[in-house]
Amino acid sequence: MANILVLYYTQTGNTQKMAEAVVEGAKSVQGVTVELSYHVSSEALGEYDALLIGAPTYHHDMTAEIKTMFEEAAQKNVNLKGKIGAAFGSYGWSGEAPKLVLEIMKNKFAMNATEAPVLSKYAPDEATLQKCRELGIRVARAIPISSDSSRALFVQAEKNEEVKDNAKYACSVCGYVYDPILGDPDSGIQPGTPFEKLPENWVCPVCGASKDQFDRKN
Ligand SMILES: Cc1cc2nc3c(=O)[nH]c(=O)nc-3n(C[C@H](O)[C@H](O)[C@H](O)COP(=O)(O)O)c2cc1C
């Protein structure tokens, strides 16, 4: 299986909340395994197909733990070339850390790190958590299918059920938004399921409202 590491550091829990949302998104993509951790050895980095790093900004920098891990990986010539990289993190006023992580990924390790970082000013709100989930999904889907044949089967299945209608629908009772890209995995609804294709007995996962109580958003 293709595997993803979501590695984060946090002091007050804000980047951890983001990391958990990234994991939720990545796990909703079939054919990948996702590991959430706050420490791995620098050598272990080479075992993953994609690295998503959660880096809060302290003193205009990433924290020493993350920096040391990269320095050790460089000293030990850990080969990360071509692997997918992405970064996110909480900040208070300047938010440099995730951008620095991406620069190291690209310039030092020749990683494929093209995603813009997801930033959260202090604690992430629901919109930011949603961006984190979507980042996890995009990275999981971007893993080259050549890195794992079982992923290729899932990608083919996803293509067969291509999302024809990407419209989001909002629950008129509680405001929950159904996003076809995310689906509703907790209720057995796969990512990529258009609202129209939801079973008639599907209900809002937050408040239990029925499907006819949803309004199209776009
Ligand atoms: C000592 C200290 C230094 C900080 N330095 C910065 C900084 O240089 N730039 C910035 O944007 N935020 C800075 N912050 C704010 C943190 O990035 C912010 O509180 C963030 O939410 C922490 O994330 P975490 O909960 O994941 O640790 C600093 C906070 C502290 C306590």
Side-chain angles (χ1 to χ4, degrees), residues 8-18 54-61 63 89-97 120-124:
Y8 69 96
Y9 180 82
T10 192
Q11 268 184 30
T12 57
N14 294 332
T15 305
Q16 179 174 358
K17 289 186 189 120
M18 298 176 80
T57 300
Y58 284 92
H59 308 291
H60 297 277
D61 207 345
T63 51
S90 176
Y91 72 103
W93 49 92
S94 56
E96 290 94 337
S120 173
K121 190 156 186 174
Y122 295 108

Side-chain angles (χ1 to χ4, degrees), residues 154-170:
F154 285 120
V155 169
Q156 192 53 46
E158 277 176 4
K159 277 197 183 135
N160 292 344
E161 290 174 26
E162 213 170 316
V163 182
K164 303 264 186 319
D165 187 349
N166 249 336
K168 296 178 183 174
Y169 280 71

Side-chain angles (χ1 to χ4, degrees), residues 36-98:
L36 177 66
S37 180
Y38 54 87
H39 178 77
V40 292
S41 70
S42 52
E43 291 98 330
L45 291 176
E47 295 165 12
Y48 298 90
D49 298 299
L51 303 177
L52 278 140
I53 297 202
T57 300
Y58 284 92
H59 308 291
H60 297 277
D61 207 345
M62 68 187 88
T63 51
E65 288 80 357
I66 298 172
K67 204 182 270 189
T68 304
M69 181 190 70
F70 278 132
E71 278 167 6
E72 282 179 10
Q75 277 165 9
K76 292 174 185 165
N77 286 321
V78 177
N79 184 8
L80 304 178
K81 189 172 179 183
K83 290 181 188 288
I84 296 167
F88 57 92
S90 176
Y91 72 103
W93 49 92
S94 56
E96 290 94 337

